[in-house]
Each structure stands twice: as C-alpha cells, then as structure tokens.
Amino acid sequence: SMSTAATYETIEVRPLTPTVGAEIHGVKLGEPLGNQQFQEIHDALMAHQVIFFRDQDMTLEQHKDFGRRFGPLHIHPSAPGPEGHPEVLRIHADENSKQVAGHRWHSDVSCDPEPPMGSILHLHTVPPNGGDTLFASSNAAYEALSEPMKAFLGGLKARHDGSPNYNRRARIDGKAGDQVYPSADHPVIRTHPVTGKKGIYVSPVFTQYICDVPEDESKAILEFLYAHNRKEQFICRFSWEKDSVAFWDNRAVQHLAMWDYFPQVRSGFRVTVAGDKPY
Ligand code: SIN
C-alpha cells in the first residue's frame, strides 16, 4: 500500500515535509535500475508526489532511459529539444533572459488532451543561491476542502489552452506569437489513476475558465482554488545543487520556479513522461 508504513530496501527516503516531497538516496539514475529499485522509486513518487535526488551526473541518453522506465516520453508542443533529442526540454536562464520556464504555478502542459504524467528535471548548472522550485500538493489541497465544496467542484470542467501562454512567451522573445497550441477540457478535480486520490487540476498558466458557468463565477472559483492550493501547508521547497534531479507527478502537484537569481546562470534538461486523459 501507499501508506506511511511503506518500507524500502533498495533506497533511502527522507521526506521534506509531512505532506509533499522526499529526497531519495542510494541510487544512481544513470545506471540501469533493477526491478525492485524501480518499483521503490515509483512507490516513493506515489507516496510523496515529488522526489529529489542529489549528485546525479547524467547524459541525455541516461536521462531519457530513466524516464522511459516510467512510460513513453512526451514531446513538448512549443520548445524543440537539443539536436537529436526531441524528447528533451532545455531549461535555461542567464543574464540575457527576459523570462524563465515555470515562473507561475502550473502542472506541465495541462493544455494537452493527454497531459504528461511526470517531469524529470536535471540541473547541471545552478546559481550560487536562489533558484528554488516550489511544489504544491493538489491532493492535500483537495482533501482540505469542505465536503460541500468538494461536491460542487466535482461536477465541473475547465478549459485549458496552450496558445495564450506559449504565444505570450514567444512575443517576449521577439517572435510573432501567433501559433495554435493544444487545448482541452479537463475535470476541475481529477482522480489519480494510481493512488485513486482526488486533486485540484486547475492552475494559472493554462486554465482559461470553468466551463458552463458565468465569467464572474469562473474567475472567483479559480482565484479561490489558486490561493487555496498555494497555502504553505501544501507546499515543499527544493533547493538545487549541481546535478540535483527533481521528478514530479503532474497529476498530484503543481509547481513554480523561483527567478530570484538574475543575472546568474541556472541550466539543465527536462525529460517528460507521457500521461493519460484526466478523469
Ligand atoms: C518547469 O516548470 O519545468 C521548470 C521548473 C524549474 O526550472 O525549476
């Protein structure tokens, strides 16, 4: 079971907070994983929703191989990968950056009809300080809602659209920003296909509105849910070191990348694991 009684034989699991996040020790992600070690990493991800590793020097091939243990890799709709690696998303900021990836709360590419289940970010270059990533448990935030609110939200869907976000970002970088990106209607509350837990699945980057309610109601509901999901008791904060890796479950958490280190360099690669249609 996924309960607190989970025991691990091949890895060490150190929770960051009682609610969300754990550091995993005793594994080299660049080496092929045995079945038990794979299963324990998977269990830890399900139990803690985002897991972290230290000192993982990995090539892009090793990074992709690790991701493929969890499922087929997802190709990003707006950012082409490095030469020969379409499944890799470069995450990079330096003194010329006008923006950074993930600077507002989101679940990755939730505009896709089948959004990615998880994302694995490896940073090879970190600023001397700053540049943390925050993760908020959408499962814990949902659990904390009142029963009447859960019942009300349970019947709603929301429109997610990639075009406003990716085109706005393109324009900041001086491009036309007139492309059409994926869009989809997803349940406001989704059920996790592995743990069965329910979680809030709206966030500011991609969610446009709640379907079939007046605009003012949609705005008020979304504002409430965004503020609620960001409460500190649902959040963990990860401080990166060179060669740290974060693996988050997009079905269970939202995240935000702090940009408090300009003009320093923060750089790495993300491999994203494909997922299913939310229900
Ligand atoms: C992202 O949203 O994938 C970026 C996260 C980060 O840079 O910490």
Side-chain angles (χ1 to χ4, degrees):
S1 91
M2 252 14 110
S3 73
T4 49
T7 54
Y8 301 94
E9 288 173 11
T10 65
I11 55 173
E12 187 197 337
V13 177
R14 302 180 196 158
L16 261 74
T17 79
T19 302
V20 58
E23 266 193 40
I24 309 295
H25 291 265
V27 58
K28 278 269 163 251
L29 301 184
E31 291 169 9
L33 298 179
N35 286 339
Q36 185 174 354
Q37 203 163 43
F38 164 76
Q39 189 60 49
E40 291 190 357
I41 291 170
H42 185 268
D43 288 349
L45 179 63
M46 294 305 108
H48 298 279
Q49 305 144 66
V50 52
I51 53 179
F52 307 103
F53 305 84
R54 300 291 188 184
D55 302 314
Q56 303 291 334
D57 187 8
M58 283 193 292
T59 65
L60 293 183
E61 282 305 334
Q62 289 170 325
H63 193 167
K64 290 196 289 187
D65 284 345
F66 175 65
R68 284 196 193 99
R69 286 302 300 263
F70 294 83
L73 301 183
H74 172 276
I75 297 189
H76 200 272
S78 81
E83 186 71 38
H85 300 283
E87 322 87 337
V88 173
L89 179 69
R90 184 167 177 255
I91 299 286
H92 179 88
D94 62 26
E95 77 278 10
N96 298 314
S97 299
K98 298 193 180 79
Q99 58 188 329
V100 299
H103 197 202
R104 291 186 297 155
W105 285 104
H106 64 290
S107 174
D108 289 323
V109 204
S110 70
C111 56
D112 262 5
E114 297 187 348
M117 69 75 88
S119 301
I120 305 163
L121 178 61
H122 168 216
L123 293 186
H124 54 73
T125 308
V126 295
N129 39 55
D132 293 357
T133 308
L134 276 55
F135 296 88
S137 172
S138 299
N139 293 146
Y142 173 81
E143 268 314 306
L145 294 170
S146 69
E147 293 307 320
M149 182 56 96
K150 287 178 183 168
F152 168 65
L153 296 173
L156 299 177
K157 288 197 160 203
R159 183 74 172 166
H160 295 240
D161 191 345
S163 296
N165 175 58
Y166 295 129
N167 286 324
R168 183 183 58 81
R169 296 182 65 83
R171 287 191 291 270
I172 292 171
D173 284 335
K175 295 173 200 142
D178 55 2
Q179 304 214 33
V180 176
Y181 291 100
S183 60
D185 292 343
H186 296 310
V188 170
I189 305 302
R190 76 177 291 184
T191 304
H192 195 289
V194 179
T195 65
K197 289 182 179 158
K198 290 183 177 179
I200 295 168
Y201 197 61
V202 289
S203 49
V205 170
F206 297 111
T207 307
Q208 306 300 312
Y209 54 82
I210 308 265
C211 303
D212 302 322
V213 305
E215 191 180 345
D216 56 348
E217 290 190 16
S218 167
K219 278 196 174 137
I221 298 163
L222 290 176
E223 266 171 38
F224 164 72
L225 288 174
Y226 297 164
H228 175 72
N229 211 143
R230 281 174 209 162
K231 287 178 185 164
E232 65 193 30
Q233 65 265 38
F234 310 131
I235 290 181
C236 73
R237 179 172 182 142
F238 182 63
S239 295
W240 294 85
E241 296 164 0
K242 174 180 166 49
D243 288 328
S244 297
V245 170
F247 185 173
W248 58 89
D249 184 338
N250 282 304
R251 305 164 300 187
V253 295
Q254 306 180 5
H255 60 285
L256 173 145
M258 300 283 290
W259 194 24
D260 50 4
Y261 52 88
F262 181 87
Q264 300 289 334
V265 179
R266 182 178 180 277
S267 194
F269 297 102
R270 195 180 93 190
V271 163
T272 308
V273 182
D276 308 322
K277 185 175 156 58
Y279 59 90

